Amino acid sequence: MDIATLASANPDHWKKAAAIRALALDGVAAANSGHTGMPIGMADVATVLFEKHLKFDAKNPDWPDRDRFILSAGHGSMLVYALLHLTGYEDMTLEQVKNFRQWGAITAGHPEFGHAKGVETTTGPLGQGIANSVGFAMAEESLRAHYGKKVIDHHTYVIAGDGCLMEGISQEAIALAGRQELSKLIVFWDNNNITIDGTVELSDRTDQVMRFKSAGWHVQDIDGHDAAAIDAAIVAAKKSGKPSMIACKTHIALGHAAQDTSKGHGALTDAAAMAEAKARYGWTTGPFEVPADIKSAWEAIGSRGNADFTAWQERFATVSGSKQAEFNRAFAGDAPKKLSATIKALKKSISEKAPSVATRKSSEMVLAAVNPICSETIGGSADLTGSNNTKTADLGVFDTDNRKGRYVYYGIREHGMAAAMNGMALHGGIRPYGGTFMCFTDYARPSMRLSALMGIPVTYVMTHDSIGLGEDGPTHQPVEHLAMLRATPNMHVFRPCDTVETAEAWELALSSKETPATLSLTRQNLPTLRTEHKTKNLTSQGAYVLADAEGKRQVILMATGSEVEIAMAARDILQAEGIGTRVVSMPCWELFAAQEESYRKRVLPGGPVRVAVEAGVQFGWDQWLSGERGKAAKAGFVGMEGFGASAPAEVLYEKFGITALAVADKAKSLL
Ligand SMILES: Cc1ncc(C[n+]2csc(CCOP(=O)(O)OP(=O)(O)O)c2C)c(N)n1
């Protein structure tokens, strides 16, 4: 259909969609950057979705049972900003739209969670949104099973582009959604055949319809500018018992001189071409001017869900008081009241029994105690359940016939798992954790970065955290991963040295509201070093004195995780020679850096020789060795200088020189 036919076929629809198109043109032109073509191309789909289907109330954007709308093709951010402004979200003023991409505005270059209401997740790294949506849909299924349909019963809608579907993460997401039969997940594919370099055929010949079908999806193929077809497709998608993909054949930058070209993907700022496009849309008002009748038609869409919202509040009020409290607590992200006492009791019994266990096992012991009191946890692993020790007896398996199950078999999909966990955390009411080998942090990394950027409390259970895993060899032995994670802003990296520190790290992870956590855990057994019970969570300070110097303090040994044991043995050697040696356990650098200077100074006073020991690369350690009152000439590091090797762990520690003797020698050489 040409534009004239489209406009005359359904003038009311056309005008509303034209408002999105005009705002996208104006916003991008004012910023002199951004992406105009995608919002123009998907304006019809978005208009039908918002007008006829999306359950939302612009005045109550945090309504827990709203439908979620995810713009996976985040470069088209003006689409969502236009929709939020038009439908009357209070924070999305015209000023904000005019300040698209400017300092201090909530209209960031790509949609960012936490900036504007109605932006459900941060997108822009292609593929992340569609992969988050799987977590959103799983959260909905889980919460519906737990609280009942009258409290939770909504859809997750996604707009994904060619780029999202080309990214590898989309395959992980699509396969997981298909397997889990997430029937309330509906994805619109913006099938415009254009990417930045040209047409899709330059690099891809996938039959997307077949691809989704083969993964167990319900698929439809429609003209993405035909309002009636869009509406009918959404109706059919909702009826299907499978996740749904609607392939929407669209024209990028419809009606603009750059239509159907890769030029149409980017910023269309040429004034004459903009004027021509607006004329084709029948848009006669000036920049950022939406005629009152069109704006009020959109605002009516924005308040369409208000009656539903009120009815939901009434239904929620009929739920038992304890369920309401649990729901409100889980959505607020507050830890259960019993968490602290549970952790303390576990610490006490561990300190008494002093078991020798791997910290991955310690983690399982903690989870066995906390999962029964935290109904909001959903655990999982990327096919390493028995190795990551992430599954506890009480959880049950989340599956098509058991939505109450709280353990997810993610399959060998680290990236998809991390993105799904982001989606669950963003949905609210769920606190996800999931495991893989520490080395495969690399495979999950783009989504881990987004957990940190968005400030959402996802917990990554990364086991087999060093050469200590032994025979599997250097492909599986992380050496640079701690440095990489510590370099990531707003990520708490915990490397606990025993079960007590592991319990403390979990307490912090489960209490966090705005910071994700990575737990770096061992495969090999470690002794309990914290044998004297302290109710205080020492890990919350990031680093603390585990054993102080006897006599004059000449050496400070710093270590994390499995190497704290080595530092303690080195201390024995040094003390036996009359060299007063303090051991500082540093389970979380980020929390230590956040302590007051006076505390840090007490733990790491200037003067003594400092030696750090960690079975990873030195990168980052200078912050504590020569920084923080240290001196380069009096500081040394014992750790890895390159990749590991295949051999039993004890042999590797010996061969790579990470031993108590080496640490003691290093300290003495610096005295
Ligand atoms: C992971 C990732 N790689 C690359 C980019 C840069 N990028 C932004 S949009 C885009 C092309 C996307 O094409 P498509 O999804 O078809 O969007 P359309 O051209 O339809 O707007 C690319 C490569 C990105 N945002 N994320």
Side-chain angles (χ1 to χ4, degrees), residues 38 75 124-126 161-164 167 190 192 194-196 252 265:
M38 184 269 165
H75 57 280
L126 295 170
D162 300 306
C164 293
E167 291 291 350
D190 180 15
N192 63 23
I194 292 294
T195 68
I196 293 176
I252 196 166
H265 165 93

Side-chain angles (χ1 to χ4, degrees), residues 35-39 73-76 110 123-128 160-167 189-198 200 250 252 261-262 264-266 446:
H35 303 79
T36 325
M38 184 269 165
H75 57 280
H110 294 82
T123 53
L126 295 170
Q128 293 291 333
D162 300 306
C164 293
L165 298 195
M166 276 196 217
E167 291 291 350
W189 166 35
D190 180 15
N191 177 15
N192 63 23
N193 197 36
I194 292 294
T195 68
I196 293 176
D197 280 354
V200 168
T250 60
I252 196 166
T261 69
S262 60
H265 165 93

Side-chain angles (χ1 to χ4, degrees), residues 32-101:
N32 199 24
S33 76
H35 303 79
T36 325
M38 184 269 165
I40 289 179
M42 285 302 276
D44 295 303
V45 168
T47 300
V48 175
L49 174 65
F50 274 63
E51 178 168 11
K52 301 226 157 77
H53 295 278
L54 194 76
K55 178 169 78 167
F56 76 112
D57 178 3
K59 295 284 183 291
N60 291 288
D62 298 323
W63 174 16
D65 195 31
R66 67 189 180 279
D67 284 346
R68 306 303 198 268
F69 171 66
I70 294 164
L71 185 67
S72 190
H75 57 280
S77 53
M78 265 309 303
L79 176 68
V80 70
Y81 300 148
L83 287 161
L84 298 176
H85 170 66
L86 289 167
T87 52
Y89 279 73
E90 273 161 12
D91 58 349
M92 193 54 74
T93 60
L94 193 59
E95 268 321 288
Q96 292 288 355
V97 179
K98 287 181 179 170
N99 281 312
F100 178 47
R101 295 184 153 224

Side-chain angles (χ1 to χ4, degrees), residues 210-227:
M210 294 292 283
R211 178 188 179 212
F212 277 78
K213 269 191 188 156
S214 74
W217 286 57
H218 171 261
V219 186
Q220 301 170 82
D221 205 346
I222 62 164
D223 175 346
H225 298 297
D226 178 342

Side-chain angles (χ1 to χ4, degrees), residues 311-369:
W312 179 84
Q313 282 183 309
E314 285 163 11
R315 285 198 304 277
F316 186 66
T318 66
V319 172
S320 77
S322 62
K323 269 274 183 265
Q324 283 189 37
E326 183 192 356
F327 183 93
N328 290 332
R329 181 186 63 70
F331 270 85
D334 295 329
K337 281 210 177 63
K338 283 189 196 154
L339 179 66
S340 162
T342 304
I343 294 287
K344 282 190 185 98
L346 179 71
K347 280 168 55 178
K348 186 158 186 294
S349 103
I350 292 294
S351 293
E352 282 161 14
K353 292 187 197 132
S356 178
V357 290
T359 49
R360 62 183 170 131
K361 181 73 189 162
S362 309
S363 170
E364 183 184 342
M365 291 156 72
V366 180
L367 287 170

